[in-house]
Amino acid sequence: MLGLIKKDFLMIKANLKTFLIIFIAFIIMSYNGSYEMTFVLPFLCIMLFISTFSYDDFNNWNAYAISFPCSRKTIVKSKYMASIIITIISSIIGVLVAAVIAGLKGSIDVSETLDSLFSCILAISIIISVMYPMIFKYGSEKGRIFLFLLVAIIAVLGNVFYKYIDFSSLERYLSFFEKNYYVVIPMFSALIICVSYLISKRIYLKKEF
């Protein structure tokens, strides 16, 4: 599995120069108060990593990979593990960069930085959990189309719920979440990623290349 993870990281390395230019641009905008680096950097990294699926499809990688001694389950697991690794590393770097920028501006807010970090972790976990099974099922291009459709449906349903649901009845649960988000978010993120992995593994085991 380490070899598969290394393969994905080497594919990312090919786009590293472009990524660094974008990263520097966001640092400048963050210093000017336009963006929060704690949030931006992990998103940039995970979007960059998702592009490896397109490279795999273009080069017919999966048909080649299943001939390896490693199992199909390992191939799927390597994608999730690489995503988790890059999310953790980019989140740590994002926090450090955000702290340096805040220090230079003389306005360090630890609570706000942590809020952004945990929100980012939750958002990326949802992206991975929803997108990866779709990509394994339909391929990178069709998977993105289905994701956009899913986001649109969720947006419509969210708007409907916001209009017709009385959130005052949920106040107790929302209060619990606000007090314990630093525990709830990691646990929920781990849960949905595990469920997503099991779905992706089942899809990949049955798929023909």
Side-chain angles (χ1 to χ4, degrees):
M1 186 169 66
L2 290 177
L4 295 171
I5 293 174
K6 184 178 179 180
K7 182 270 296 182
D8 285 328
F9 285 163
L10 288 174
M11 292 174 67
I12 292 175
K13 187 179 178 181
N15 297 317
L16 194 57
K17 290 183 180 179
T18 303
F19 173 77
L20 289 175
I21 293 172
I22 298 173
F23 180 45
I24 292 171
F26 273 109
I27 289 178
I28 296 172
M29 288 188 285
S30 178
Y31 185 79
N32 293 329
S34 302
Y35 292 92
E36 172 59 57
M37 284 308 299
T38 310
F39 204 85
V40 168
L41 182 59
F43 264 102
L44 287 175
C45 288
I46 202 64
M47 289 298 108
L48 181 63
F49 181 80
I50 288 174
S51 68
T52 62
F53 284 97
S54 297
Y55 287 117
D56 289 345
D57 289 346
F58 180 77
N59 294 292
N60 201 23
W61 160 258
N62 289 295
Y64 178 67
I66 60 175
S67 66
F68 291 171
C70 62
S71 64
R72 292 192 178 203
K73 179 176 70 174
T74 303
I75 295 173
V76 176
K77 187 184 294 183
S78 69
K79 285 290 187 183
Y80 281 86
M81 290 301 299
S83 300
I84 293 171
I85 291 170
I86 200 169
T87 299
I88 292 173
I89 293 175
S90 60
S91 296
I92 293 173
I93 295 174
V95 168
L96 293 176
V97 172
V100 171
I101 292 174
L104 293 174
K105 295 169 67 175
S107 58
I108 297 178
D109 189 335
V110 176
S111 177
E112 182 178 346
T113 300
L114 289 177
D115 288 346
S116 297
L117 175 62
F118 280 99
S119 298
C120 181
I121 291 173
L122 177 61
I124 290 177
S125 299
I126 293 173
I127 289 173
I128 291 173
S129 300
V130 174
M131 197 164 188
Y132 283 19
M134 289 186 177
I135 292 177
F136 280 116
K137 178 68 174 179
Y138 302 106
S140 58
E141 297 303 322
K142 290 183 179 179
R144 289 172 185 172
I145 295 174
F146 279 106
L147 178 65
F148 291 143
L149 291 175
L150 180 63
V151 169
I153 293 171
I154 292 174
V156 172
L157 292 176
N159 187 47
V160 172
F161 288 153
Y162 182 78
K163 287 183 178 180
Y164 297 103
I165 291 181
D166 182 13
F167 286 95
S168 61
S169 61
L170 303 175
E171 186 175 347
R172 182 178 61 181
Y173 300 102
L174 293 174
S175 176
F176 173 82
F177 176 78
E178 289 178 359
K179 293 179 181 178
N180 301 279
Y181 71 92
Y182 53 90
V183 175
V184 175
I185 288 179
M187 290 180 62
F188 178 74
S189 298
L191 175 62
I192 61 175
I193 287 177
C194 287
V195 172
S196 175
Y197 162 71
L198 293 175
I199 295 172
S200 295
K201 182 183 71 172
R202 186 171 182 179
I203 291 170
Y204 200 78
L205 286 173
K206 294 182 178 181
K207 194 166 184 178
E208 295 183 2
F209 298 100

